[in-house]
Amino acid sequence: DTAVSQTPKYLVTQMGNDKSIKCEQNLGHDTMYWYKQDSKKFLKIMFSYNNKELIINETVPNRFSPKSPDKAHLNLHINSLELGDSAVYFCASSQQHTGPYEQYFGPGTRLTVT
Amino acid sequence: LAKTTQPISMDSYEGQEVNITCSHNNIATNDYITWYQQFPSQGPRFIIQGYKTKVTNEVASLFIPADRKSSTLSLPRVSLSDTAVYYCLVGDPWSSASKIIFGSGTRLSIRP
């Protein structure tokens, strides 16, 4: 029973397209995150949502828009994809009482922009 | 913001104990120390978290000296499957101003 799941696992698309990545957690957590891990393996936080409310919005192009329809879902929509968006995107979740440093990560979505 | 410094890579052999040290000289009073493990092609996995002295769980031990300016993740009797990147994070879990920063991590390679 997967705790944090992401779809799709792989995404290959062309520059200029718009795509979405979906994330769901069944842990009952109230905070969810999106991270980007580039080819050099640096993992950077992009967004954080707590109870459907945006908490963290790091310096990310506004082509990236997170959407949280409910506490268990946090989707990432990317407009006008660029070559530099190629990376692995991870979704994660945590619960308020243990704090944001104990996070559970999804398996990742490898996005390749050609 | 407490910056962390870890060795870029370490090698060891199966059955050995491995200790990975993280320096965090400007750790703040309310900061905790957290370690994650990341296998290739997977998301990071929370291993252990501590504030001071020693914390142990089924996976690892975390040693934190009294001055808290460093911490050591100890993996007992490693196996090939412990080959991964290990990240040390420092921050206040209860502050909305805390930044979650994964550094470059330590790439641990275990040989037979």
Side-chain angles (χ1 to χ4, degrees):
Chain A
D1 211 17
T2 308
V4 181
S5 59
Q6 296 179 226
T7 53
K9 191 166 172 61
Y10 300 97
L11 186 52
V12 181
T13 188
Q14 292 185 325
M15 283 174 59
N17 284 348
D18 302 339
K19 290 293 178 186
S20 292
I21 307 172
K22 296 187 175 184
C23 177
E24 176 182 0
Q25 54 95 3
N26 62 5
L27 297 166
H29 289 173
D30 40 36
T31 308
M32 295 183 71
Y33 312 81
W34 276 109
Y35 288 82
K36 177 181 180 181
Q37 189 165 42
D38 60 25
S39 55
K40 292 184 179 160
K41 304 298 184 187
F42 289 114
L43 189 62
K44 288 190 68 174
I45 190 167
M46 301 171 69
F47 302 101
S48 164
Y49 265 74
N50 181 271
N51 281 317
K52 295 168 45 180
E53 187 183 328
L54 182 64
I55 302 298
I56 296 172
N57 183 357
E58 293 295 328
T59 307
V60 175
N62 57 14
R63 298 182 295 103
F64 290 79
S65 52
K67 287 205 172 24
S68 181
D70 56 58
K71 209 166 81 154
H73 296 85
L74 181 63
N75 304 324
L76 183 66
H77 189 76
I78 317 170
N79 288 329
S80 304
L81 278 154
E82 300 177 357
L83 292 176
D85 297 333
S86 294
V88 180
Y89 292 84
F90 289 103
C91 175
S93 69
S94 68
Q95 44 188 349
Q96 203 148 355
H97 78 265
T98 56
Y101 288 92
E102 186 173 340
Q103 296 184 23
Y104 291 78
F105 281 76
T109 295
R110 182 174 294 276
L111 172 65
T112 304
V113 183
T114 61
Chain B
L1 186 62
K3 183 173 158 34
T4 60
T5 304
Q6 304 174 232
I8 292 174
S9 63
M10 291 180 68
D11 293 327
S12 189
Y13 293 91
E14 281 192 293
Q16 300 292 305
E17 178 184 78
V18 170
N19 296 311
I20 307 174
T21 297
C22 180
S23 296
H24 27 80
N25 289 320
N26 59 344
I27 188 169
T29 303
N30 294 333
D31 287 349
Y32 279 65
I33 300 146
T34 309
W35 285 81
Y36 279 82
Q37 174 191 57
Q38 185 176 23
F39 297 117
S41 302
Q42 293 188 28
R45 180 175 80 119
F46 171 87
I47 303 175
I48 198 165
Q49 183 180 78
Y51 183 79
K52 62 179 180 180
T53 60
K54 178 182 173 183
V55 180
T56 296
N57 63 22
E58 64 278 2
V59 176
S61 294
L62 178 59
F63 297 94
I64 306 166
D67 67 5
R68 305 200 325 123
K69 291 184 185 301
S70 67
S71 58
T72 299
L73 176 73
S74 182
L75 304 171
R77 291 194 301 280
V78 292
S79 65
L80 295 176
S81 63
D82 291 312
T83 293
V85 178
Y86 292 81
Y87 297 96
C88 163
L89 283 72
V90 172
D92 180 355
W94 319 123
S95 168
S96 58
S98 285
K99 295 272 190 182
I100 300 166
I101 298 176
F102 284 80
S104 51
T106 297
R107 186 171 298 276
L108 175 65
S109 298
I110 306 299
R111 302 168 194 270

